[in-house]
């Protein structure tokens, strides 16, 4: 018979013998239950709003730790310690907080024993400004690869008096006599988040987090033509089944579409060059393996300019809404997305990806450079048509070949000849047969 052991760690309340004895005494104490004046935390059908079922997602939330807005906080009631990973910890300014050395090992990280860098007590805040809760809790700083910034284990959950539900994708805790519910920030819409620090927010590589693109990098603007007038469409009524789908914003059998034809008419065309799909497909011939990037809902990662958001408003049975991100159906959305992709892969194009096949036997030598410079000079000095004067003598040059006829009318100005008019005609099949 095989024996399967639980993955666990120590140091839930301190690393000293006194702390361990204290924990042992607490384990022996009777639990009388919740206080009579405390609200009862429960989960009901209303907590499933916005959750796409069926799902087996981890419960990942957002929290404030030591005045830093931390994404990718994994709630794990099976962990006996709170963990902050070193990559995230090094991005934070921990001055004023003391990192103490500990000797207790943790088990379960990368299938081997991990010794924490130390233990530190930091303020942890959950909730919103109008309803939040802050506790001082200890974190083990762990130098180990992870797709999360922080793991909230049983110590933090108990100090917050919080209850987590992976099925409802929420964590609830008491703030005074009121119950605060924090939904999961995981929504299956994105997969790779870059490492960065913006305005106190710590970001690390994740699996499912969608944080979007900063407006400083890319932003979709409608650029409405001056003089355009807003168009108000009448409200469309749907059946109960469709209203439910619209309210839950779920994907599947039904897909909600908004008619933006009037809006698109008021937007000028963005002529940013797009790749030709036929050329890209043809250039893949001869290769046995291809690698593709999953850009699912990539449009939704690009923010829509705040000044243009109200122009995308639409009415449902639940109220009036507008889009805050770029969406399919907007004019020039493809141009904005292509511009972003070119910027994202600017340094990788031609090395790892954007060029699907290397040019064969291509070289650029000194002779090519001279020819290129001569071509630029010639294009910059092309002759322009001039206007003839009444009674002025004009000259016509005629050129004929087997397949084309060309002529140019010129006038003389001193020793120079200036073109007045020209024509070039390629002969068609019936014209070629004329004897």
């Amino acid at each position: 018979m095989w024996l399967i052991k639980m993955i666990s760690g120590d140091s839930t309340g301190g690393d000293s013998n006194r702390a361990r004895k204290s924990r042992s005494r607490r384990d022996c104490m009777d639990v009388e239950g919740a206080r009579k004046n405390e609200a009862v935390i429960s989960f009901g059908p209303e907590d499933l709003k916005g959750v796409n079922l069926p799902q087996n997602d981890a419960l990942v939330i957002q929290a404030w730790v030591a005045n830093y807005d931390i994404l990718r906080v994994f709630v794990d009631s099976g962990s006996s310690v709170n963990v902050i990973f070193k990559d995230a910890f090094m991005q934070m300014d921990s001055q004023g907080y003391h990192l103490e050395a500990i000797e207790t090992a943790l088990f379960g990280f990368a299938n081997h024993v991990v010794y924490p860098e130390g233990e530190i007590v930091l303020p942890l805040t959950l909730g919103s400004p109008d309803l939040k809760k802050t506790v001082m809790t200890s974190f083990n700083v762990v130098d180990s690869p992870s797709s999360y910034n922080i793991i909230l284990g049983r110590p933090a959950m108990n100090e917050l008096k919080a209850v987590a539900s992976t099925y409802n994708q929420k964590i609830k805790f008491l703030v005074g006599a009121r119950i605060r519910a924090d939904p999961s920030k995981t929504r299956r819409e994105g997969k790779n988040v870059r490492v960065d620090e913006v305005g106190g927010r710590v970001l690390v590589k994740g699996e499912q987090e969608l944080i979007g693109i900063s407006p400083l990098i890319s932003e979709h603007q409608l650029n409405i033509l001056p003089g355009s007038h807003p168009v108000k469409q009448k409200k469309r009524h749907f059946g109960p089944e469709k209203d439910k789908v619209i309210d839950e914003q779920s994907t599947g059998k039904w897909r909600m579409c908004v008619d933006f034809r009037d809006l698109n008419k008021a937007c000028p065309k963005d002529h940013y060059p797009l790749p030709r799909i036929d050329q890209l497909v043809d250039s893949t011939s001869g290769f046995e393996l291809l690698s593709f990037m999953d850009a699912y809902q990539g449009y939704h990662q690009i923010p829509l300019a705040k000044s243009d958001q109200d122009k995308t408003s639409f009415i449902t049975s639940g109220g009036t809404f507008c889009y805050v991100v770029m969406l399919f159906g907007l004019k020039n959305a493809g141009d904005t997305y292509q511009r972003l992709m070119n910027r994202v892969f600017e340094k990788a194009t031609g090395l790892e990806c954007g060029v699907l096949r290397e040019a064969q036997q291509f070289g650029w030598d000194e002779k090519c450079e001279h020819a290129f410079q001569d071509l630029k000079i010639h294009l910059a000095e092309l002759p322009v048509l001039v206007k003839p004067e009444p009674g002025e003598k004009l000259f016509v040059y005629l050129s004929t070949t087997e397949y084309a006829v060309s002529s140019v009318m010129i006038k003389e100005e001193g020793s120079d000849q200036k073109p007045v008019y020209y024509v070039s005609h390629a002969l068609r099949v019936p014209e070629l047969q004329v004897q």
Side-chain angles (χ1 to χ4, degrees):
M1 182 176 69
W2 295 94
L3 176 63
I4 301 177
K5 296 183 178 180
M6 178 178 290
I7 300 176
S8 61
D10 289 323
S11 183
T12 59
D15 198 50
S16 63
N17 290 330
R18 178 180 297 178
R20 293 171 181 167
K21 292 179 181 179
S22 176
R23 290 199 302 273
S24 299
R25 288 194 298 269
R26 289 199 304 268
D27 292 340
C28 297
M29 295 175 63
D30 294 331
V31 180
E32 297 180 356
R35 298 177 182 176
K36 294 182 180 181
N37 61 343
E38 288 186 344
V40 177
I41 297 179
S42 62
F43 294 88
E46 67 279 1
D47 293 306
L48 289 174
K49 184 176 181 180
V51 179
N52 296 329
L53 297 177
Q55 58 86 17
N56 292 300
D57 293 338
L59 182 55
V60 182
I61 65 172
Q62 184 175 345
W64 281 88
V65 178
N67 294 324
Y68 277 83
D69 189 7
I70 310 291
L71 303 176
R72 302 290 302 169
V73 177
F74 174 40
V75 179
D76 182 11
S77 60
S79 176
S80 59
V81 294
N82 303 318
V83 174
I84 180 169
F85 290 95
K86 188 175 180 179
D87 286 345
F89 181 72
M90 295 303 294
Q91 298 183 57
M92 301 169 58
D93 183 6
S94 59
Q95 292 184 359
Y97 304 98
H98 182 59
L99 181 66
E100 295 184 355
I102 56 176
E103 298 178 356
T104 305
L106 300 179
F107 300 87
F109 294 95
N111 296 323
H112 63 275
V113 178
V114 172
Y115 288 90
E117 302 283 315
E119 187 177 55
I120 189 169
V121 178
L122 298 172
L124 167 67
T125 302
L126 297 186
S128 57
D130 60 325
L131 193 63
K132 64 182 179 180
K133 188 172 185 178
T134 302
V135 296
M136 297 297 294
T137 187
S138 61
F139 291 90
N140 281 195
V141 180
V142 174
D143 186 7
S144 179
S146 175
S147 58
Y148 304 104
N149 285 326
I150 285 178
I151 294 179
L152 288 187
R154 293 193 299 271
M157 296 292 291
N158 293 338
E159 289 167 346
L160 288 165
K161 297 183 180 179
V163 179
S165 172
T166 55
Y167 179 73
N168 294 275
Q169 285 290 287
K170 283 184 177 67
I171 177 175
K172 291 187 177 182
F173 52 92
L174 293 175
V175 182
R178 301 169 63 185
I179 297 177
R180 164 72 189 188
D182 269 17
S184 170
K185 298 298 181 182
T186 301
R187 286 293 182 268
R188 302 187 191 180
E189 292 129 341
K191 290 193 175 180
N192 293 318
V193 180
R194 63 187 180 89
V195 180
D196 200 359
E197 180 182 346
V198 181
R201 169 169 289 188
V202 180
L203 313 175
V204 294
K205 293 180 180 178
E207 295 177 345
Q208 295 177 324
E209 182 74 29
L210 174 62
I211 63 168
I213 304 296
S214 169
L216 300 177
I217 298 176
S218 179
E219 181 182 65
H220 184 70
Q221 298 180 354
L222 299 179
N223 298 319
I224 300 295
L225 292 171
S228 300
H229 300 284
V231 177
K232 182 179 180 181
Q233 301 179 8
K234 65 179 181 179
K235 177 184 177 182
R236 291 169 172 79
H237 297 278
F238 305 96
E241 182 182 6
K242 295 181 181 178
D243 281 337
K244 182 180 179 181
V245 174
I246 295 173
D247 184 58
E248 293 179 353
Q249 305 180 38
S250 58
T251 59
K253 181 179 178 182
W254 297 101
R255 182 166 63 96
M256 190 188 77
C257 297
V258 183
D259 184 2
F260 286 127
R261 286 179 293 182
D262 291 325
L263 176 62
N264 288 336
K265 291 179 182 178
C267 300
K269 175 60 180 171
D270 183 357
H271 294 283
Y272 191 82
L274 301 179
R276 293 188 57 179
I277 301 301
D278 56 339
Q279 291 182 351
L280 296 181
V281 173
D282 291 342
S283 61
T284 62
S285 62
F287 291 89
E288 296 182 359
L289 298 175
L290 295 176
S291 177
F292 293 93
M293 181 185 70
D294 183 6
Y296 177 65
Q297 291 194 357
Y299 276 32
H300 293 171
Q301 298 189 46
I302 301 177
L304 183 63
K306 291 186 178 181
S307 59
D308 293 328
Q309 292 176 4
D310 61 328
K311 301 178 181 65
T312 66
S313 60
F314 57 93
I315 304 174
T316 71
S317 58
T320 303
F321 301 88
C322 68
Y323 282 92
V324 297
V325 296
M326 187 179 72
L327 65 150
F328 283 98
L330 286 181
K331 192 174 183 179
N332 304 321
D335 303 84
T336 300
Y337 186 76
Q338 185 64 44
R339 187 180 285 107
L340 173 63
M341 291 297 100
N342 289 348
R343 182 173 182 181
V344 170
F345 297 109
E346 179 179 4
K347 295 183 179 179
T349 302
L351 298 177
E352 290 86 10
C353 62
V355 180
L356 295 181
R357 175 181 292 177
E358 293 184 2
Q360 302 295 327
Q361 298 179 351
F362 176 79
W364 189 266
D365 52 20
E366 186 176 355
K367 184 178 180 180
C368 296
E369 180 66 25
H370 284 305
F372 179 64
Q373 297 299 331
D374 291 341
L375 177 61
K376 291 198 298 183
I377 295 174
H378 176 71
L379 292 175
E381 296 178 351
L382 286 178
V384 295
L385 298 180
V386 297
K387 180 181 178 181
E389 299 295 335
E392 187 177 13
K393 184 182 296 186
L394 302 177
F395 301 88
V396 175
Y397 289 94
L398 180 64
S399 173
T400 60
T401 66
E402 185 178 357
Y403 300 101
V405 176
S406 302
S407 64
V408 59
M409 180 180 295
I410 65 168
K411 60 177 290 187
E412 292 184 344
E413 292 184 355
S415 60
D416 295 332
Q417 292 185 334
K418 302 291 186 181
V420 175
Y421 187 78
Y422 69 93
V423 63
S424 179
H425 177 68
L427 300 178
R428 298 182 177 89
V429 175
E431 295 170 330
L432 293 172
Q433 296 176 350
V434 177
Q435 297 297 329

